[in-house]
Amino acid sequence: MTVYVNQLGGDLPRVGPPPEGGAVIVWALDTGRGVVAGHAVEEAAAVLDAAERERAGRLVRHTDRHAYLASHLGLRVLLGGYLGQAPADVSLIREECPCCGGPHGRPAVAGGGLHFSLSHTAGVAYLAFAAIPVGVDVEGTPGPAVVTDVLSTLHPTETAELTSLAEADRPVALGRLWARKEAVLKATGAGLALGVAEPYVGSGPTPAQVTGWSLRDLTAPPGYAAAVALANP
């Protein structure tokens, strides 16, 4: 897996050709921006589809709604650039859920041609694009109470790894573990439906090997962890 990381700002991005083979193009975004990829976030409704506008409208907190609009605006501009379409013309669908077959699996471009994944949290978004299934996740460092709450839900080896650490070191280790775990689960389309015990991704400095997937940590701002997973060709 070859990963290229870019910063998405206020100017219209130069996207270049879409990724091929085992390449992943990742864009990082500050979701607090007022202008994203050449578009004002407050005017994002003109670019998003009805489902996206409805979802944004259900978000009560202004910061949450702004982050959603900013990240989906960036997603559409980047997809449009790679696909040669206007951002508003990109048709997004949901694939079948691999767990139940329902229409709530991985988000995808209608007709295929390019795979993508989007994650945002507390002011930061990561967007990943690839020619094959991909998942990306960014997480803020959790608090000690979160560590306690989730310890028993993880893979037994991950639980042992975290409990062997000093309490002060556990939040950072859990943050990178959780980003890795979610990246894989987003890539598969399973999400959290089957729990988070599998797959084993490890909490140490280097991700564990996951059968069928390439998994890599990404550079993230202080206080965050990020990871990307790509299907093996």
Side-chain angles (χ1 to χ4, degrees):
M1 173 170 56
T2 302
V3 182
Y4 305 93
V5 180
N6 308 285
Q7 189 70 37
L8 184 60
D11 295 333
L12 190 66
R14 298 181 179 180
V15 298
E20 297 179 345
V24 182
I25 301 177
V26 178
W27 295 79
L29 168 67
D30 174 358
T31 59
R33 300 186 62 91
V35 177
V36 173
H39 298 261
V41 175
E42 64 181 13
E43 299 173 0
V47 178
L48 306 186
D49 64 20
E52 290 168 311
R53 292 193 296 269
E54 180 183 1
R55 175 68 184 275
R58 293 201 302 266
L59 298 173
V60 177
R61 295 178 55 195
H62 171 75
T63 52
D64 292 340
R65 186 166 59 255
H66 186 93
Y68 179 91
L69 293 172
S71 56
H72 280 254
L73 180 58
L75 173 66
R76 283 188 163 273
V77 171
L78 292 169
L79 282 173
Y82 290 126
L83 298 171
Q85 300 178 22
D89 292 339
V90 176
S91 180
L92 301 178
I93 61 169
R94 284 278 185 173
E95 297 179 343
E96 287 187 358
C97 172
C99 302
C100 69
H104 47 259
R106 293 189 313 143
V109 176
L114 183 66
H115 293 264
F116 70 89
S117 181
L118 163 65
S119 175
H120 62 84
T121 182
V124 178
Y126 277 61
L127 306 95
F129 303 87
I132 51 181
V134 64
V136 73
D137 191 64
V138 58
E139 299 286 338
T141 301
V146 175
V147 178
T148 301
D149 289 343
V150 305
L151 267 178
S152 63
T153 68
L154 303 172
H155 188 283
T157 303
E158 293 167 344
T159 300
E161 290 171 1
L162 290 170
T163 53
S164 71
L165 298 174
E167 287 192 17
D169 296 330
R170 294 176 187 174
V172 170
L174 177 61
R176 63 182 171 228
L177 179 156
W178 201 265
R180 296 167 184 171
K181 187 91 67 171
E182 286 247 32
V184 176
L185 295 176
K186 286 181 177 182
T188 64
L192 303 179
L194 300 178
V196 295
E198 298 291 344
Y200 169 72
V201 297
S203 62
T206 303
Q209 292 187 348
V210 179
T211 301
W213 299 90
S214 295
L215 180 60
R216 180 176 299 181
D217 291 341
L218 298 172
T219 301
Y224 295 87
V228 63
L230 183 71
N232 290 336

